[in-house]
Structure formats: C-alpha cells, structure tokens
Amino acid sequence: MSTTEVPSVPATARERARAQVKAELLDAARARLEADGAAELSLRAVARDLGVASSAVYRYVESRDALLTLLIIETYDAVGAVAEQAAADARARGADPARTWLEVARAVRGWALAQPYAYELIYGTPVRGYRAPDDTVPSALRMWGVIVSVLQQAAEEGTLAPAGPDFDPHGRVTPAVVAVVGGALGPVSDDVLRIASRSATLFCSLLGAISAELFGHLHRFADDYGALFDVTIATAAAGVGLHADLSDA
C-alpha cells in the first residue's frame, strides 16, 4: 500500500457543492471584514453580498459568532504558516536563532501590512460580546510554537544570553501554558519556565511594533519604518537573550 497521503476532498457531489458554497461564504465575509471591520460583520450583509436569503447562510454557519470563529481560525493559521515558513527558510540559510527571529518578525510584519484587516481581526480591538471558543487555540498557538522553537534552539546551542533581569520563574505563567511549553521543550524545569515567560516578550514586542505602525501611532516618526521595526524587535529580543546583528540588516 502506498504511504503517500491523499488530500482530503469532499467525496460526493453534494459535499463538493457544500464546500464550494462555504468557501464563497468565507470569501464574502472576508470582503466584509476588509470593508466594515469585524465589529460590523453580519450574516445578513454577507447573505446580501452573495445574493441569497439570510436563511440560506444559516445552513452553513449557525450564527455571526460562528462565522467569526471560522475567520479567526483561518487567520491564525495564515499568520502561523507565514511565521513557520520564515523560520524554516532562515534556518535553511544557516541563520542563528536571533537572525531567525528577526526574519520571522519581518515576515509577520509584511503579512500584516498587506492584510491589515486580517491582522486587526486577531490582534486588534476585541469584538464586543464575542468570546473566542477553544477551537481557536490550536491555530493561535502556531505563532507561539515558532517563538518557543527559536528560544529552545538558542538554549540548546548555548547562545541564549539574556540582557534582562533574572527572576523566579514560578508563578509567571499559568499551568496551561506550562503544559504546552513543557510538551514542546521536555520535562518542566526552571529553564523551561523561564523560556515560557520570556516568550511573551517576543510575542508582545512583535505585536506592539506592528500595531504601533499599522494603527498610525508612529505617524511621521521614522524615515524608514522597516529599519525602525528591526531596531524594536532586536532590542526586545536582546532582553531575552537573542542578540541580532543589524549592521548587515
């Protein structure tokens, strides 16, 4: 028997038709997000754009929140894939962990600037009244997985040299985070807990730098926003122990 994996596809004409309509539904919802923002997303408007009755949309999604969840999962997966590919490409070129993180950050920034509405959906102002279900967590963790892998590589190579303060790592992150990071790094130890805690610095500095630029908080601040972004990312990364050389950036 062949071990080649065969992509999962709808088996019947009915299933294929349903998948096609759902894809068109998501396309229309993304267009509405870009035009109106997540807070204004409505099934009625999406149905109108598709030229169908609102009742027809409810055959595919049970509510506005369910549609929003599908879009959020799709978007987390998209940015997660961008981060994963950037990390893989950097490592293939022989980049060290600090340079790998810089390349990942640049790739995520590029994705955000090209699709600001998508970035805002998952990293912008929360939609009032919407609570993301646990279904979104695995996709959201893809970005964290890249961050942890970079820190893990640096720790294993002995190049992780934090410029920031040392600290008692206990109680800094929740048991759920410990379980996720512990599973990625091996048995939970003080070093693993420190990596888990410091991963937040990389994540928050990345989102902060992108959001400040994307939402106009750095208007007229820089002549080269890409270069300023590199400085922001590299400075924060040095605090957790990743020292990137920007002289050849």
Side-chain angles (χ1 to χ4, degrees), residues 16-155:
R16 289 194 295 273
R18 182 176 179 83
Q20 178 62 33
V21 173
K22 192 170 183 178
E24 292 172 357
L25 174 62
L26 289 174
D27 286 343
R30 281 192 295 272
R32 275 287 161 184
L33 277 180
E34 186 170 5
D36 303 329
E40 300 301 321
L41 183 67
S42 75
L43 290 182
R44 186 180 298 276
V46 171
R48 185 168 59 248
D49 292 343
L50 289 172
V52 300
S54 298
S55 57
V57 174
Y58 283 100
R59 299 172 189 168
Y60 300 91
V61 287
E62 61 186 20
S63 66
R64 188 288 304 263
D65 284 3
L67 177 58
L68 202 52
T69 295
L70 290 176
L71 291 168
I72 288 170
I73 290 172
E74 178 184 71
T75 307
Y76 272 134
D77 279 331
V79 69
V82 166
E84 290 164 355
Q85 187 62 57
D89 290 346
R91 287 167 177 148
R93 293 192 297 270
D96 63 15
R99 187 70 186 196
T100 297
W101 173 240
L102 181 62
E103 295 296 334
V104 168
R106 286 172 170 173
V108 174
R109 172 180 178 264
W111 172 85
L113 294 180
Q115 303 182 75
Y117 70 93
Y119 176 87
E120 187 174 4
L121 174 64
I122 55 175
Y123 297 131
T125 303
V127 177
R128 188 184 298 273
Y130 173 78
R131 185 178 179 84
D134 290 345
D135 293 355
T136 62
V137 173
S139 298
L141 286 177
R142 291 178 67 172
M143 173 72 75
W144 285 97
V146 173
I147 293 172
V148 169
S149 73
V150 170
L151 291 171
Q152 179 187 21
Q153 181 185 355

Side-chain angles (χ1 to χ4, degrees), residues 144 147 151 173 195-206 240:
W144 285 97
I147 293 172
L151 291 171
V173 294
I195 285 178
S197 299
R198 286 173 170 141
S199 68
T201 297
L202 298 186
F203 182 75
C204 292
S205 62
L206 174 60
V240 303

